[in-house]
Amino acid sequence: MDILMTGGRIKLICQIAMAFLFIFSAPCLAEQDYIDITNPSLRRIPIAIPLFRIMPQGQVNTQVSRNAPDLCAENLEFTGYFKILDRGAFLENPRESDITGSTTNFRNWTGIGAELLITGGIWINDGTLTMELRLFDTFKSQILLGKKYTAGKDKLKKVMRTFCNEVIYYLTGRQGIFDSDIAFVSTSSGNKEIYLCDFDGQNSRAFTHHKTITLFPAWSSDGKWIAYTSYARGKPDIFIKHLQEKRGFVIQNKGINITPAWVPGQFKLAATLSYEGDQDIYLLTGRGEKIKKLTNQWGIDTSPAWSPDGAKMAFVSNRSGTPQIYIKHINSGRVERLTFQGQYNTQPAWSPRGDKVSYSAREKSGEFNICVVGFDGRGPVRLTYKARDNESPSWSPDGSMIVFSSTREGPSRIYVMTAYGTDQRRLLTLPGQQTNPKWGNMDN
């Protein structure tokens, strides 16, 4: 079966002039849901990813042909959707056969338990990397997805992440997370600074260099801006910085300026200010100009978190005597209390689907755990247990995972888990402590 189809070509131009060429593809959505990410008892799908074939059109060393499927396997395994099968058990070697599937004996793959198969061909000419990649349903002996990519030879990781995003989109109907970044606070330099890393914890790098206390990173919905609080000018002010361009703004009202949260799809943000006395939440422009006051109640209101449509805002208030999470309906102004269990519930984060809010809850033992509650109050469900302090939950862009900080191994580190609390694992280890993670949207 040859999947080189006629059709439109889509060119994706990266910031460093890299281009991908998609010249063949299957339909965007599967005929059936292969993976239902809303199912809390999701079964991992066995998938075979053999070494890719070195194509005769050019030359490429065997290490590159091994690295590419390894990167593919690592990306897909990270999601928790797949069981990567051991290549030592394979009965067939697509590296020595037709990668299009025309000569593939799919019984050789179903016989070892593989339900999905990825094959690939790779070659390099004059510094240009070209890859043909295909996803098969082995039981149906059917191709599900085919893509061809052309890029600089140093962009292997980017190519594989792009293909893995396509695989996830086909199998789930939702975009993958492989182009997303995570911001967090780290004391690696001796001070609390904002750091960034890739979705899987790789490529960690410092974003701020204030050499003081820096907290509360928040991504704009287009992924181009980060707002955060820093004591760089002697008191807590909000800094708004563009990720690529050397420009930004500072919100430095009298008193504290903390916990920024961008309005979805707009260059506006909510933040906690105290220049009028009490800590209240205000709506601000992206430059820091005040638009209006969003809360006006005795006590402390802080930690705003927007619903995906921007119509509601979760926040923390002690108006009932202890810190609890409330929801404000922006158009009507109505405020409802969301959490009732426990005496200390903070750090709300709204799921991308808009149906749940995750938060940190202090137990009677004094330890903190991550909980999730329906925005209508149904629940809550605790996701972490007997693992010391677990705080600052933040959802992945597709809503399938939650990143959080935990002291379960001693110093605070960054961890991830599924949206249902399964498959909890450490994301990265750096000197010092890491806290307050925020999962950003896809790269733009």
Side-chain angles (χ1 to χ4, degrees), residues 167-194:
V167 169
I168 295 299
Y169 184 56
Y170 186 93
L171 297 177
T172 70
R174 300 190 187 187
Q175 296 293 339
I177 62 173
F178 306 113
D179 289 327
S180 63
D181 289 333
I182 296 171
F184 58 95
V185 175
S186 179
T187 60
S188 297
S189 66
N191 297 291
K192 289 187 175 182
E193 302 282 3
I194 306 297

Short mmCIF file of all heavy atoms in Angstrom, two decimals, residues 167-194:
data_model
loop_
_atom_site.label_atom_id
_atom_site.label_comp_id
_atom_site.label_asym_id
_atom_site.label_seq_id
_atom_site.Cartn_x
_atom_site.Cartn_y
_atom_site.Cartn_z
N VAL A 167 0.19 11.57 15.79
CA VAL A 167 -0.29 10.28 16.25
C VAL A 167 -1.33 10.45 17.35
O VAL A 167 -2.41 9.84 17.33
CB VAL A 167 0.88 9.41 16.75
CG1 VAL A 167 0.38 8.15 17.47
CG2 VAL A 167 1.78 9.01 15.58
N ILE A 168 -1.00 11.28 18.33
CA ILE A 168 -1.93 11.50 19.45
C ILE A 168 -3.23 12.13 18.95
O ILE A 168 -4.33 11.74 19.38
CB ILE A 168 -1.28 12.39 20.53
CG1 ILE A 168 -0.09 11.66 21.16
CG2 ILE A 168 -2.29 12.78 21.59
CD1 ILE A 168 -0.45 10.37 21.85
N TYR A 169 -3.13 13.08 18.04
CA TYR A 169 -4.34 13.72 17.52
C TYR A 169 -5.22 12.70 16.80
O TYR A 169 -6.45 12.71 16.94
CB TYR A 169 -3.96 14.86 16.58
CG TYR A 169 -5.15 15.64 16.08
CD1 TYR A 169 -6.05 16.22 16.97
CD2 TYR A 169 -5.38 15.81 14.72
CE1 TYR A 169 -7.14 16.95 16.53
CE2 TYR A 169 -6.47 16.53 14.26
CZ TYR A 169 -7.35 17.09 15.17
OH TYR A 169 -8.43 17.80 14.72
N TYR A 170 -4.59 11.82 16.02
CA TYR A 170 -5.38 10.81 15.31
C TYR A 170 -6.06 9.85 16.27
O TYR A 170 -7.23 9.50 16.10
CB TYR A 170 -4.49 10.02 14.34
CG TYR A 170 -5.28 9.07 13.48
CD1 TYR A 170 -5.73 9.46 12.23
CD2 TYR A 170 -5.61 7.80 13.93
CE1 TYR A 170 -6.49 8.61 11.44
CE2 TYR A 170 -6.38 6.94 13.16
CZ TYR A 170 -6.82 7.35 11.93
OH TYR A 170 -7.59 6.51 11.16
N LEU A 171 -5.35 9.41 17.29
CA LEU A 171 -5.87 8.37 18.17
C LEU A 171 -6.81 8.90 19.25
O LEU A 171 -7.61 8.15 19.80
CB LEU A 171 -4.71 7.63 18.83
CG LEU A 171 -3.78 6.86 17.89
CD1 LEU A 171 -2.64 6.23 18.67
CD2 LEU A 171 -4.54 5.80 17.10
N THR A 172 -6.70 10.18 19.60
CA THR A 172 -7.52 10.72 20.69
C THR A 172 -8.44 11.85 20.25
O THR A 172 -9.38 12.18 20.96
CB THR A 172 -6.63 11.26 21.83
OG1 THR A 172 -5.96 12.46 21.40
CG2 THR A 172 -5.60 10.24 22.27
N GLY A 173 -8.16 12.48 19.12
CA GLY A 173 -8.93 13.64 18.70
C GLY A 173 -8.49 14.92 19.38
O GLY A 173 -9.12 15.96 19.21
N ARG A 174 -7.38 14.86 20.13
CA ARG A 174 -6.86 16.04 20.82
C ARG A 174 -5.39 16.22 20.47
O ARG A 174 -4.67 15.26 20.22
CB ARG A 174 -7.00 15.90 22.33
CG ARG A 174 -8.44 15.75 22.78
CD ARG A 174 -8.55 15.86 24.27
NE ARG A 174 -9.90 15.55 24.73
CZ ARG A 174 -10.31 15.69 25.97
NH1 ARG A 174 -9.46 16.11 26.90
NH2 ARG A 174 -11.55 15.41 26.32
N GLN A 175 -4.96 17.49 20.48
CA GLN A 175 -3.56 17.78 20.17
C GLN A 175 -2.65 17.17 21.23
O GLN A 175 -2.98 17.11 22.41
CB GLN A 175 -3.35 19.29 20.11
CG GLN A 175 -4.11 19.99 19.00
CD GLN A 175 -3.62 19.60 17.61
OE1 GLN A 175 -2.50 19.14 17.46
NE2 GLN A 175 -4.45 19.81 16.61
N GLY A 176 -1.48 16.73 20.80
CA GLY A 176 -0.49 16.21 21.74
C GLY A 176 0.18 17.32 22.53
O GLY A 176 -0.02 18.51 22.27
N ILE A 177 1.00 16.93 23.48
CA ILE A 177 1.64 17.90 24.39
C ILE A 177 3.11 18.10 24.07
O ILE A 177 3.82 18.81 24.80
CB ILE A 177 1.52 17.41 25.85
CG1 ILE A 177 2.26 16.07 26.03
CG2 ILE A 177 0.07 17.31 26.26
CD1 ILE A 177 2.33 15.60 27.46
N PHE A 178 3.60 17.54 22.96
CA PHE A 178 5.04 17.45 22.76
C PHE A 178 5.71 18.76 22.39
O PHE A 178 6.94 18.84 22.38
CB PHE A 178 5.34 16.37 21.72
CG PHE A 178 4.71 15.05 22.05
CD1 PHE A 178 3.69 14.52 21.27
CD2 PHE A 178 5.11 14.36 23.18
CE1 PHE A 178 3.10 13.31 21.60
CE2 PHE A 178 4.52 13.14 23.51
CZ PHE A 178 3.52 12.62 22.72
N ASP A 179 4.94 19.79 22.08
CA ASP A 179 5.52 21.10 21.82
C ASP A 179 5.27 22.07 22.98
O ASP A 179 5.45 23.28 22.82
CB ASP A 179 4.93 21.70 20.53
CG ASP A 179 5.42 20.98 19.30
OD1 ASP A 179 6.57 20.51 19.31
OD2 ASP A 179 4.66 20.88 18.31
N SER A 180 4.87 21.55 24.11
CA SER A 180 4.57 22.42 25.25
C SER A 180 5.77 22.52 26.19
O SER A 180 6.65 21.65 26.20
CB SER A 180 3.36 21.90 26.03
OG SER A 180 3.62 20.61 26.57
N ASP A 181 5.80 23.58 26.98
CA ASP A 181 6.84 23.81 27.97
C ASP A 181 6.23 23.95 29.36
O ASP A 181 5.03 24.21 29.50
CB ASP A 181 7.63 25.09 27.66
CG ASP A 181 8.52 24.94 26.44
OD1 ASP A 181 8.93 23.79 26.16
OD2 ASP A 181 8.80 25.94 25.77
N ILE A 182 7.07 23.80 30.36
CA ILE A 182 6.66 23.96 31.75
C ILE A 182 7.54 25.02 32.40
O ILE A 182 8.77 24.99 32.26
CB ILE A 182 6.77 22.64 32.53
CG1 ILE A 182 5.80 21.61 31.93
CG2 ILE A 182 6.48 22.83 34.01
CD1 ILE A 182 5.98 20.21 32.48
N ALA A 183 6.94 25.97 33.08
CA ALA A 183 7.67 26.96 33.87
C ALA A 183 7.61 26.53 35.34
O ALA A 183 6.61 25.94 35.78
CB ALA A 183 7.07 28.35 33.70
N PHE A 184 8.65 26.82 36.09
CA PHE A 184 8.66 26.48 37.50
C PHE A 184 9.67 27.36 38.23
O PHE A 184 10.48 28.07 37.60
CB PHE A 184 9.00 24.99 37.70
CG PHE A 184 10.32 24.56 37.12
CD1 PHE A 184 11.46 24.51 37.91
CD2 PHE A 184 10.41 24.20 35.79
CE1 PHE A 184 12.68 24.11 37.37
CE2 PHE A 184 11.63 23.79 35.24
CZ PHE A 184 12.76 23.75 36.04
N VAL A 185 9.61 27.32 39.54
CA VAL A 185 10.55 28.08 40.37
C VAL A 185 11.64 27.12 40.85
O VAL A 185 11.35 26.01 41.30
CB VAL A 185 9.83 28.71 41.58
CG1 VAL A 185 10.84 29.40 42.51
CG2 VAL A 185 8.77 29.70 41.10
N SER A 186 12.89 27.55 40.74
CA SER A 186 14.01 26.72 41.19
C SER A 186 15.01 27.58 41.96
O SER A 186 15.21 28.77 41.65
CB SER A 186 14.72 26.07 40.00
OG SER A 186 15.82 25.29 40.44
N THR A 187 15.64 26.96 42.95
CA THR A 187 16.70 27.63 43.72
C THR A 187 18.08 27.16 43.27
O THR A 187 19.05 27.26 44.02
CB THR A 187 16.53 27.38 45.22
OG1 THR A 187 16.61 25.96 45.47
CG2 THR A 187 15.19 27.90 45.72
N SER A 188 18.18 26.65 42.06
CA SER A 188 19.45 26.11 41.57
C SER A 188 20.58 27.13 41.61
O SER A 188 21.74 26.78 41.83
CB SER A 188 19.28 25.58 40.14
OG SER A 188 18.37 24.52 40.09
N SER A 189 20.25 28.39 41.38
CA SER A 189 21.28 29.44 41.35
C SER A 189 21.58 30.00 42.73
O SER A 189 22.46 30.85 42.86
CB SER A 189 20.82 30.58 40.43
OG SER A 189 19.68 31.23 40.99
N GLY A 190 20.86 29.56 43.75
CA GLY A 190 20.99 30.12 45.08
C GLY A 190 19.88 31.09 45.42
O GLY A 190 19.70 31.47 46.58
N ASN A 191 19.13 31.51 44.40
CA ASN A 191 17.95 32.37 44.57
C ASN A 191 16.76 31.72 43.88
O ASN A 191 16.92 30.83 43.04
CB ASN A 191 18.19 33.75 43.97
CG ASN A 191 19.30 34.50 44.65
OD1 ASN A 191 19.18 34.91 45.80
ND2 ASN A 191 20.43 34.68 43.95
N LYS A 192 15.57 32.16 44.23
CA LYS A 192 14.38 31.65 43.57
C LYS A 192 14.21 32.37 42.23
O LYS A 192 13.94 33.56 42.18
CB LYS A 192 13.14 31.86 44.45
CG LYS A 192 13.10 30.95 45.67
CD LYS A 192 11.78 31.06 46.41
CE LYS A 192 11.71 30.06 47.56
NZ LYS A 192 10.42 30.10 48.27
N GLU A 193 14.38 31.61 41.15
CA GLU A 193 14.24 32.15 39.80
C GLU A 193 13.26 31.28 39.02
O GLU A 193 13.01 30.12 39.37
CB GLU A 193 15.60 32.16 39.08
CG GLU A 193 16.69 32.95 39.75
CD GLU A 193 16.58 34.47 39.55
OE1 GLU A 193 15.59 34.92 38.91
OE2 GLU A 193 17.46 35.19 40.02
N ILE A 194 12.71 31.85 37.94
CA ILE A 194 11.84 31.10 37.05
C ILE A 194 12.69 30.34 36.05
O ILE A 194 13.58 30.90 35.41
CB ILE A 194 10.86 32.02 36.30
CG1 ILE A 194 10.07 32.90 37.27
CG2 ILE A 194 9.92 31.19 35.42
CD1 ILE A 194 9.18 32.14 38.21
#
